[in-house]
Amino acid sequence: HTRARPRRDPDAMAEHLASIFGTEKDRVNCPFYFKIGACRHGERCSRLHNKPTLSQTILMTNLYQSPTAAAIANPSAQINTDPRALQEHFEDFYEDIFEELAKYGEIEGLNVCDNTSDHLIGNVYVKFREEESALAALNALSGRFYSGRPILCEFSPVTDFRESTCRQYEENTCNRGGYCNFMHLKPISRNLRKILFGRYKRRDDRDDRGRDDRDDRGRDDRRDDRGRRRGDSRDGRRGDSRDGGRRGPPGGYGDRGYGGGGGRSDICYDF
């Protein structure tokens, strides 16, 4: 006689599968892709990468071209690695991206990875308040370029960055460096964050007149702030970096290789 197998409760099984989804116990779905929207194994991963068809968050892969990473990749290149210049370069990039994508809806978060591993380097995550805004931004970015490079954009499963970021990096104790598998997010100044995200108030506080006033003040504040940050060094580092109303290379790192010096750049900024 064969023993009958005990019947499993389908509700209990579904609850169990839901509880382990995206965790190390999940043998089907990749936990790293679920948490950070990227996996070091890429398409060769033995687990599934469930790419969302709609999300609040879009990912632009390898978009930020860090001068620090360029210096590591090419030690013989003459690259300005002064910390203040590097931060200005990054904040110019950050503001460029924010201002462009804010056209499509309210942005709740914009995060740029400082990792150096292939699957995370230069990744830019933008979380919108509404999924419809993320969809509009993704559609608008299709086929466009930034810094002469095509923008590779997709929806990301990441909506809670607290689970994605490396806590040790935030405490300056991560010993894995740029090759950590969790996000090392580049910080921006408190002042820039206030200028960019301070335009948003609670929806029930908004009205047309208040929005117009804030927009006017925000534009004035951004002009003043960028003038203070760049100061007199603009002429020395950037030279004649504007062409046809478009911004030259952020931070004045020169041409495609981020070589030093001013002068007009041949980089095509599509924003």
Side-chain angles (χ1 to χ4, degrees), residues 125-195:
Y125 297 81
V126 185
K127 181 183 177 183
F128 289 89
R129 184 184 181 96
E130 305 289 346
E131 291 180 340
E132 292 76 12
S133 300
L135 176 60
L138 186 144
N139 289 336
L141 293 174
S142 177
R144 295 183 65 183
F145 289 73
Y146 187 86
S147 188
R149 303 172 68 249
I151 299 173
L152 305 177
C153 189
E154 63 186 49
F155 285 121
S156 172
V158 182
T159 55
D160 186 354
F161 288 88
R162 292 172 298 180
E163 296 295 322
S164 310
T165 56
C166 175
R167 294 181 179 86
Q168 292 178 329
Y169 173 75
E170 295 174 348
E171 298 169 356
N172 293 319
T173 59
C174 181
N175 57 15
R176 299 180 185 88
Y179 292 96
C180 180
N181 282 321
F182 288 91
M183 294 182 190
H184 289 188
L185 300 181
K186 286 183 70 66
I188 60 172
S189 67
R190 183 177 300 177
N191 190 45
L192 181 59
R193 181 168 296 277
K194 181 179 179 181
I195 290 171

Side-chain angles (χ1 to χ4, degrees), residues 96 145-148 246-250 258 265 267-271:
D96 256 355
F145 289 73
Y146 187 86
S147 188
R246 289 176 178 168
R247 177 179 302 174
Y258 291 105
S265 168
I267 295 181
C268 173
Y269 279 76
D270 192 21
F271 283 176

Side-chain angles (χ1 to χ4, degrees), residues 87-106:
Q87 185 64 21
E88 182 177 334
H89 175 276
F90 171 64
E91 292 195 354
D92 279 352
F93 167 84
Y94 191 101
E95 186 174 358
D96 256 355
I97 299 300
F98 189 100
E99 294 292 357
E100 176 65 19
L101 296 190
K103 298 175 183 177
Y104 307 104
E106 181 175 337

